[in-house]
Amino acid sequence: MNKNHERIHADEKNLCKLCMSELDAIYSDLALTEDELEILAMPRRAFIVHFPVKTEAGKTKMFIGYRVQYNDARGPGKGGIRFHPDLTVEHISDLAFLMGLKCAVVNIPFGGAKGGVAVNPKELSRSELELVTRGYIRAIADFIGPFRDIPAPDVYTDEQIMAWILDEYERITRKHSPAVVTGKPVELGGIKTRRYSTALGGIYLLEEAMKERGIEKSGACVAVQGFGHVGENTARILHEEGYRVIAVSDSKGAILNQTGLDIPGVTAHKERTGSVAGFPGTQNISNDQLLACDCDILIPAALSDQLNGSNAGDIKAKIILELANAPTTTEADKIILAKDIMLIPDVLANSGGVVVSYFEWSQNLNNDYWEEEKVLRKLKHTMISAFNDVHALCREHGCRMREAAYRLGVKRILHAERLRGNL
Ligand code: NAD
């Protein structure tokens, strides 16, 4: 670590210590100059807002919301909105940084952003959820917009919440503005494929990785952690494609059947009971047992830091597809590297959603709506091009995919900064 690096690390004003840790992992490989590090080390803008909501019980409650725009050299901010009680500005900044890298890795013209409200949506009624969403958008309306920063769904936010965001933003600006948010219902300018594009984009990459590792698709054994938008769609598509999905989980529990799960049945069970746990004909297991189960492919699709120092040593999968954001701690990353597991990193693996969001934004701006076949073709092309770009860098530098993806993303962001005259 040189002096400037140490200084940025020690700088209490830097909101994103986690981003510095991410950069540390590739710092020496990339040989960043002091100026380059300075530009990457901290978010451009971070908004913290407090807004009141009148609950159904008639009480006024203050909520805290965040929006961080990490970098916008390549285009307007782009990133999801998360509703979760444990949000912090530092965590949101880290996710915004990852969004910037992600957009650069798949080469779409956006910067990185992320936001959310510190709330447990399960404790709100539907009308309170709408009031919280609208209150948050009123608080950040000046900082978002089709050419400024474009939100999308993330953990515990969905199409309906995006529809409220659109409506509130249009009420404030008094203009029709569908490109202000992506992941909207189709009827409001969304794309049907967006519902499962993160999953599908990841699966296109998985197919390329399996060719590399010589694993046959039919009968390949998969465990998926998380059974929300991403996890459930991934399990469903893989099941339809003939993979053997043997284990899935959600926040309430995990299930295993070594001969393969009936995924539509699991989905129906979750709709009925609120969890995948207890699905007939399966063994209830812990989340750590899911991560350690005997499978070819492990797909973390829940929250951050799930693969950590205490469980990474037990992973048996040959390929890990990181569909969740930051599911692997730095400690686990080192253990996984030593085990020669092929890990497709989050910045590449889960970028299918933002790629289709880019198509949605572009369609909204042009008022030109494509057939589903065109969306899928362009998604596949974009994902495979990014896989090939990352893989070429792996070969050139003898590094694994996480370093290569970071290298590519960082290189593209810095190139844009240089062209703008900031370097
Ligand atoms: P979601 O809220 O729909 O689903 C999250 C799932 O994780 C739920 O099934 C929940 O029960 C489960 N879960 C929570 N804690 C868990 C735990 N400790 N163990 C096992 N399961 C647990 O969220 P999502 O949209 O599916 O997002 C999942 C991940 O994918 C997040 O990291 C998100 O940032 C990332 N991601 C989502 C998208 C997208 O398009 N939605 C795009 C890129 C990345």
Side-chain angles (χ1 to χ4, degrees):
M1 234 190 247
N2 68 25
K3 283 222 153 47
N4 191 48
H5 198 179
E6 277 173 22
R7 180 183 59 74
I8 294 172
H9 250 287
D11 186 351
E12 286 306 317
K13 292 195 289 299
N14 186 358
L15 288 171
C16 196
K17 299 265 185 291
L18 281 167
C19 310
M20 284 306 294
S21 313
E22 314 255 8
L23 281 171
D24 280 350
I26 51 160
Y27 173 71
S28 46
D29 293 347
L30 273 174
L32 296 176
T33 66
E34 290 193 2
D35 292 353
E36 289 171 339
L37 187 64
E38 186 88 14
I39 265 203
L40 290 174
M42 49 195 81
R44 286 299 161 90
R45 285 170 286 279
F47 305 102
I48 301 179
V49 293
H50 292 91
F51 55 94
V53 170
K54 206 129 196 205
T55 64
E56 272 175 10
K59 288 224 164 297
T60 297
K61 199 171 166 223
M62 288 301 280
F63 287 84
I64 180 164
Y66 308 97
R67 188 73 189 168
V68 176
Q69 294 156 0
Y70 204 89
N71 187 285
D72 53 9
R74 290 172 45 86
K78 185 89 195 78
I81 287 179
R82 178 176 289 212
F83 284 178
H84 196 277
D86 302 336
L87 290 191
T88 62
V89 70
E90 175 153 10
H91 188 49
I92 290 284
S93 300
D94 186 40
L95 294 170
F97 169 73
L98 289 173
M99 278 307 295
L101 285 184
K102 195 180 298 185
C103 294
V105 169
V106 287
N107 216 0
I108 57 175
F110 289 132
K114 202 81 172 188
V117 179
V119 63
N120 182 353
K122 291 178 185 169
E123 288 172 1
L124 301 178
S125 69
R126 187 180 156 86
S127 60
E128 286 170 336
L129 187 64
E130 178 174 350
L131 290 175
V132 167
T133 305
R134 290 185 184 276
Y136 171 60
I137 293 305
R138 279 198 299 280
I140 64 162
D142 286 341
F143 319 127
I144 60 171
F147 298 104
R148 193 169 278 172
D149 180 3
I150 306 121
D154 194 77
V155 175
Y156 297 138
T157 57
D158 58 15
E159 280 188 3
Q160 176 58 71
I161 291 175
M162 300 307 115
W164 290 328
I165 290 176
L166 173 67
D167 185 67
E168 191 63 31
Y169 185 79
E170 290 184 346
R171 284 183 195 207
I172 294 165
T173 58
R174 305 183 72 79
K175 259 190 258 168
H176 184 56
S177 217
V180 69
V181 64
T182 59
K184 303 176 289 291
V186 175
E187 297 76 5
L188 296 180
I191 295 187
K192 198 170 123 220
T193 326
R194 176 65 184 80
R195 291 173 187 155
Y196 56 94
S197 55
T198 303
L200 193 57
I203 292 170
Y204 290 143
L205 299 170
L206 179 62
E207 286 170 358
E208 297 304 300
M210 286 169 68
K211 282 185 214 155
E212 285 288 325
R213 283 281 151 132
I215 302 173
E216 285 298 320
K217 182 160 133 182
S218 74
C221 218
V222 192
V224 182
Q225 186 200 40
F227 207 69
H229 299 294
V230 178
E232 195 266 336
N233 278 309
T234 306
R236 175 182 59 76
I237 299 169
L238 290 174
H239 178 76
E240 285 165 7
E241 293 281 318
Y243 292 77
R244 191 152 48 96
V245 182
I246 59 163
V248 296
S249 66
D250 58 28
S251 58
K252 295 189 182 137
I255 52 171
L256 170 80
N257 181 334
Q258 205 65 46
T259 59
L261 296 166
D262 161 25
I263 297 299
V266 177
T267 302
H269 176 80
K270 183 167 169 105
E271 272 164 18
R272 248 190 344 266
T273 66
S275 174
V276 298
F279 180 60
T282 63
Q283 185 189 341
N284 281 327
I285 56 171
S286 68
N287 255 300
D288 270 353
Q289 285 173 310
L290 176 140
L291 299 175
C293 77
D294 203 356
C295 62
D296 299 304
I297 300 146
L298 174 63
I299 306 185
L303 300 178
S304 306
D305 298 337
Q306 296 298 305
L307 311 187
N308 51 48
S310 61
N311 58 32
D314 299 327
I315 295 173
K316 299 186 187 64
K318 301 179 190 83
I319 298 175
I320 297 175
L321 178 69
E322 288 188 335
L323 289 186
N325 279 311
T328 308
T329 64
T330 314
E331 201 184 348
D333 221 20
K334 289 187 189 132
I335 299 170
I336 289 166
L337 173 65
K339 287 165 78 86
D340 194 31
I341 297 168
M342 185 172 193
L343 183 147
I344 310 175
D346 50 5
V347 286
L348 173 64
N350 64 31
S351 55
V354 75
V355 170
V356 172
S357 275
Y358 165 52
F359 299 158
E360 181 178 335
W361 174 79
S362 161
Q363 290 186 24
N364 296 151
L365 289 178
N366 293 310
N367 221 356
D368 172 24
Y369 291 85
W370 312 338
E371 295 294 326
E372 189 172 9
E373 181 277 325
K374 181 172 170 183
V375 176
L376 294 178
R377 181 165 40 82
K378 284 177 77 79
L379 172 64
K380 187 168 189 176
H381 174 79
T382 309
M383 299 309 294
I384 294 180
S385 299
F387 184 93
N388 290 337
D389 288 348
V390 170
H391 214 251
L393 277 184
C394 286
R395 279 195 291 267
E396 188 183 330
H397 296 282
C399 64
R400 65 209 182 110
M401 293 187 87
R402 194 184 308 280
E403 273 86 55
Y406 271 54
R407 223 175 234 281
L408 183 63
V410 164
K411 197 177 94 183
R412 286 178 173 159
I413 292 171
L414 291 176
H415 187 57
E417 294 283 15
R418 196 162 291 113
L419 291 170
R420 285 173 179 276
N422 292 330
L423 278 171

